[in-house]
Amino acid sequence: MKRQFFPLEIKGKFYLTQPKKKTPSTIVFIVRLDGKQVKFHTGVKVYPNQWNPLLQYAYISPILSNIDNQNNKTVNTTIDEIKFRFSEYKKYICNKGNELDFVTHLKSTLKGMARKKKSDTIEDILAVIRRAVTNDRTIGVATSKNYLNKGLPALKFFLDYLEREKGEKIGDFHVFTTEFFYKFSLYIYNNYLNDGEPYTVSTINSILKYAKSAIILSARAGGFLTELEISAIKLRLFDDKSSDNQIALRNDEIMKLYRYQCENEKDEIIRDMFLLECTLGHRISDILRIDERTDKIDGNYYISIAPKKTPNKRVDVGLIFQIAKQILIDKYNCILPECSKDKINREIKRIAKNAGIEGEELQSIHYVGSSQPEEFKKPRYECIATHTGRRTFVSLLSARGWTYEKISKYTAQSTKMVEHYDKATSKYIDIYQSTLKKHPEDIVRLCSEHEESTIGSNISNNETFSIGGINKVVELVQENERNKIKIDNLHQNLNEANNKVKQVRHSAVIDSQISELISNSEKNEKELLLEFMKMGYSYDDYMKYQQTRDALENDVEIADAEHDTLLDD
């Protein structure tokens, strides 16, 4: 009697080769087939404590570092591909079962899942990179365009040179080392032109970053390089001597834009969306979908934002500025009209000019081949783009005396990035204080000041005041504003002191060096340190981890900011 066989009942499962180790363990896929155990190496690794054997996936979590999440995404992508191939294999042998050697065909189906060997040669490596970037759904459309339209043309320019002049055809990702990128950077810096004219140093640095990012993305997607090999790649960048050309709008300029009577509905929508970015402090791509994340509780309005680029840094905060409430809630009733970043960037300069934003800004541009940057003056309205909004939000609050730590709770940025966005110079603060004293109506008011401003409005509408009486009201409003800032700072200092006392008491059983670290750390850092200790790691291991994580997160945030600025330009 012929033996029965049910292909759809074949099972496969993922296992760690070293599940009890503290170092990354290789993942294998084991299938029991036709009385045999068939094992396949996936080519990816995971920390055992970041592997879920029940769900058969690596953890992706906000409590993990960015590099751990990236590594685990690579693991899960590989697992999904193996599962898909295994499913297709079972369907295929349902129809062709009598004609096949099941084990041989399974090996053929899953072949190539592990990392490519050094002996493998890729005929068109640029096509492989281009395809990986085009198919990747974890990066935004604008970032993908930067990789394809800026990074890859420069890479092709250098690879063509190597093949033409040196007789070297690149067909292996292992060529992409620090030494390769050093030569690549120098050649692009000295030879790559923009329609016959030199690029700025800043643009060359960005092009080099885009090229490297595209290569790494493709290397991960295809399993051509390990994470250790990728982390060893360093990129040479060049000294940009130009000064910071980015601006933030002042209080009086925001009020000019807000009061401006636009020529048509399209301009009004663009102006409103830009003002929302200035008063909410998030990327315009997140602002344009903010209406989906607004709540009203006890008469107060709150927004929840999981930034598109850093979804693990979710914030739940109240509205700070009255303008944000008046546009988002009162005017549009939380249903924002359709708009786009490109439209805003295209039209906001003209709208700002018509609104009366005047003055000039000294700009500095350092071109490749020049030892010093060139300086020139540019109208302020010409310096405005979508990302000006985030800088404006941070600068408005910084000028009021808010700390970077407090601002970061609203922007979902690190304190270093908040400092990077802060354009509240001494001149900016002087203008704010002068406006507060002489023209308080040109100050962008906080929501907490709404009741006071309403009272002032009612008094002025219903009673006749002398000039001296009006000045007295203005002085009282100004004094109240200064007191609010002082009280906010005192509350913050008191909370920080209380937290430190609680943490020091709680950590009394730990040695003095670690206790000192915990007493100056946030709660999540304390828990992380304790986890390190439970796993047998030393204090030095913990410090090395923190330094590496902080450096990586800071690099990512700075790169994101540079990307956004380039897109604005």
Side-chain angles (χ1 to χ4, degrees):
M1 182 177 177
K2 192 171 182 180
R3 182 171 62 89
Q4 290 181 301
F5 180 64
F6 301 96
L8 294 180
E9 301 307 313
I10 301 173
K11 305 296 182 184
K13 193 171 181 180
F14 295 93
Y15 295 90
L16 303 186
T17 57
Q18 297 174 308
K20 295 184 179 180
K21 291 293 182 70
K22 295 176 182 178
T23 55
S25 173
T26 299
I27 302 174
V28 294
F29 184 56
I30 296 178
V31 179
R32 297 192 181 279
L33 177 61
D34 205 16
K36 299 177 182 178
Q37 178 177 291
V38 188
K39 182 189 294 185
F40 301 91
H41 286 271
T42 62
V44 291
K45 296 181 178 182
V46 67
Y47 282 104
N49 63 352
Q50 295 176 16
W51 171 252
N52 189 320
L54 184 62
L55 296 179
Q56 295 274 278
Y57 280 111
Y59 288 115
I60 304 295
S61 169
I63 67 172
L64 297 178
S65 67
N66 287 340
I67 192 66
D68 281 342
N69 278 326
Q70 184 62 59
N71 288 337
N72 292 350
K73 285 178 183 177
T74 301
V75 168
N76 293 343
T77 299
T78 302
I79 287 173
D80 284 338
E81 185 177 348
I82 292 175
K83 287 181 177 180
F84 174 76
R85 291 192 186 191
F86 187 52
S87 176
E88 292 298 302
Y89 160 77
K90 291 194 289 185
K91 292 177 185 177
Y92 184 76
I93 63 175
C94 281
N95 298 320
K96 303 286 185 178
N98 293 333
E99 307 170 15
L100 297 172
D101 177 339
F102 300 139
V103 174
T104 301
H105 186 69
L106 179 59
K107 289 180 178 179
S108 175
T109 302
L110 299 183
K111 182 181 179 182
M113 294 308 303
R115 180 171 62 86
K116 303 292 186 296
K117 296 179 181 179
K118 292 187 178 183
S119 59
D120 293 344
T121 300
I122 301 171
E123 182 61 29
D124 189 347
I125 202 163
L126 283 171
V128 172
I129 298 171
R130 188 176 294 107
R131 185 164 54 250
V133 172
T134 302
N135 293 335
D136 194 286
R137 295 293 176 265
T138 65
I139 58 176
V141 174
T143 302
S144 178
K145 286 182 179 178
N146 282 332
Y147 291 174
L148 296 173
N149 301 333
K150 296 179 181 179
L152 286 191
L155 181 61
K156 182 179 185 304
F157 185 75
F158 181 58
L159 296 185
D160 287 347
Y161 157 75
L162 290 179
E163 187 171 359
R164 183 180 65 252
E165 303 293 335
K166 304 291 185 179
E168 301 175 14
K169 181 174 174 60
I170 305 301
D172 184 350
F173 274 81
H174 287 86
V175 172
F176 297 129
T177 61
T178 297
E179 182 182 1
F180 171 90
F181 277 102
Y182 182 85
K183 294 176 181 177
F184 171 51
S185 296
L186 282 178
Y187 188 77
I188 292 300
Y189 184 84
N190 291 317
N191 298 280
Y192 201 53
L193 300 175
N194 180 22
D195 292 330
E197 298 295 326
Y199 281 99
T200 65
V201 175
S202 173
T203 301
I204 285 292
N205 284 340
S206 296
I207 287 172
L208 295 173
K209 290 177 185 177
Y210 292 139
K212 180 188 174 187
S213 296
I215 290 171
I216 289 175
L217 183 151
S218 180
R220 282 198 175 107
F224 298 108
L225 297 175
T226 66
E227 289 301 322
L228 185 62
E229 290 168 329
I230 289 172
S231 64
I233 299 174
K234 306 300 178 185
L235 178 64
R236 173 177 180 176
L237 299 177
F238 299 94
D239 184 21
D240 180 9
K241 296 181 180 179
S242 61
S243 58
D244 185 359
N245 295 322
Q246 310 303 327
I247 70 165
L249 295 188
R250 304 188 304 265
N251 281 265
D252 59 304
E253 292 172 322
I254 292 293
M255 295 308 297
K256 281 182 179 179
L257 263 177
Y258 180 63
R259 293 170 181 147
Y260 172 60
Q261 297 296 317
C262 295
E263 298 174 357
N264 52 61
E265 185 181 5
K266 182 191 75 172
D267 284 1
E268 187 172 345
I269 291 172
I270 290 171
R271 185 273 314 271
D272 288 348
M273 297 308 105
F274 176 74
L275 285 175
L276 279 179
E277 187 183 18
C278 291
T279 53
L280 290 175
H282 288 268
R283 292 183 182 88
I284 198 66
S285 57
D286 294 315
I287 297 298
L288 295 176
R289 58 195 182 101
I290 198 79
D291 50 358
E292 304 169 10
R293 297 165 172 80
T294 307
D295 293 315
K296 182 179 180 182
I297 303 174
D298 293 334
N300 297 316
Y301 290 89
Y302 301 88
I303 55 174
S304 298
I305 298 180
K308 226 172 185 179
K309 289 192 175 181
T310 53
N312 60 320
K313 294 187 176 181
R314 172 175 171 150
V315 294
D316 296 281
V317 293
L319 299 184
I320 297 180
F321 290 107
Q322 288 182 30
I323 287 178
K325 177 183 177 298
Q326 288 161 353
I327 293 175
L328 178 62
I329 311 298
D330 300 341
K331 184 172 184 176
Y332 292 109
N333 196 27
C334 294
I335 304 175
L336 294 181
E338 186 176 346
C339 194
S340 71
K341 180 177 179 177
D342 289 341
K343 282 183 182 178
I344 298 172
N345 275 326
R346 199 165 50 242
E347 305 295 342
I348 192 60
K349 294 176 177 61
R350 172 183 57 80
I351 295 172
K353 179 182 179 182
N354 293 341
I357 292 181
E358 302 170 337
E360 292 183 321
E361 283 295 316
L362 184 64
Q363 302 283 286
S364 170
I365 296 182
H366 187 189
Y367 287 97
V368 171
S370 299
S371 58
Q372 296 297 325
E374 297 180 11
E375 292 187 342
F376 61 96
K377 285 195 172 182
K378 187 176 182 180
R380 274 182 69 80
Y381 64 81
E382 284 288 345
C383 300
I384 299 175
T386 51
H387 222 56
T388 306
R390 297 198 85 186
R391 291 187 286 270
T392 297
F393 178 84
V394 170
S395 303
L396 288 174
L397 295 175
S398 176
R400 289 173 178 261
W402 283 41
T403 64
Y404 291 155
E405 183 178 8
K406 185 175 179 181
I407 297 172
S408 72
K409 292 182 178 2
Y410 288 85
T411 63
Q413 297 169 305
S414 68
T415 53
K416 285 187 178 180
M417 281 308 299
V418 173
E419 182 180 8
H420 177 75
Y421 276 70
D422 182 14
K423 305 302 174 188
T425 60
S426 176
K427 174 184 174 183
Y428 186 100
I429 295 173
D430 285 346
I431 294 173
Y432 162 71
Q433 292 174 342
S434 175
T435 303
L436 182 63
K437 183 177 181 180
K438 298 178 180 178
H439 302 283
E441 72 278 4
D442 287 337
I443 294 295
V444 183
R445 291 293 174 184
L446 302 178
C447 287
S448 60
E449 299 165 340
H450 176 67
E451 184 178 343
E452 295 153 11
S453 63
T454 301
I455 293 172
S457 174
N458 291 338
I459 292 174
S460 62
N461 287 335
N462 296 325
E463 298 183 30
T464 302
F465 278 81
S466 66
I467 295 298
I470 292 174
N471 288 338
K472 183 63 177 176
V473 171
V474 170
E475 288 176 10
L476 289 172
V477 170
Q478 293 168 1
E479 182 64 25
N480 185 61
E481 170 69 18
R482 288 190 287 270
N483 287 337
K484 279 182 175 293
I485 292 173
K486 290 179 183 177
I487 290 170
D488 282 346
N489 289 337
L490 286 172
H491 274 302
Q492 182 173 343
N493 292 337
L494 181 61
N495 288 337
E496 289 175 355
N498 286 337
N499 287 336
K500 286 181 180 178
V501 169
K502 290 177 183 177
Q503 290 167 0
V504 167
R505 288 173 179 169
H506 186 70
S507 59
V509 297
I510 303 172
D511 72 29
S512 59
Q513 188 178 26
I514 297 177
S515 176
E516 182 181 354
L517 175 66
I518 293 178
S519 67
N520 291 290
S521 300
E522 297 292 337
K523 182 179 180 182
N524 61 337
E525 290 185 83
K526 179 175 68 176
E527 292 174 348
L528 182 59
L529 176 56
L530 292 173
E531 282 297 316
F532 263 66
M533 294 172 63
K534 289 176 183 176
M535 291 188 292
Y537 287 108
S538 68
Y539 172 75
D540 288 340
D541 292 332
Y542 172 77
M543 291 303 296
K544 288 176 183 177
Y545 167 79
Q546 287 286 54
Q547 290 167 3
T548 303
R549 187 190 69 174
D550 292 344
L552 285 170
E553 288 184 348
N554 192 49
D555 287 347
V556 169
E557 288 188 357
I558 290 176
D560 277 345
E562 290 174 349
H563 287 189
D564 288 329
T565 298
L566 284 166
L567 289 176
D568 287 347
D569 296 339

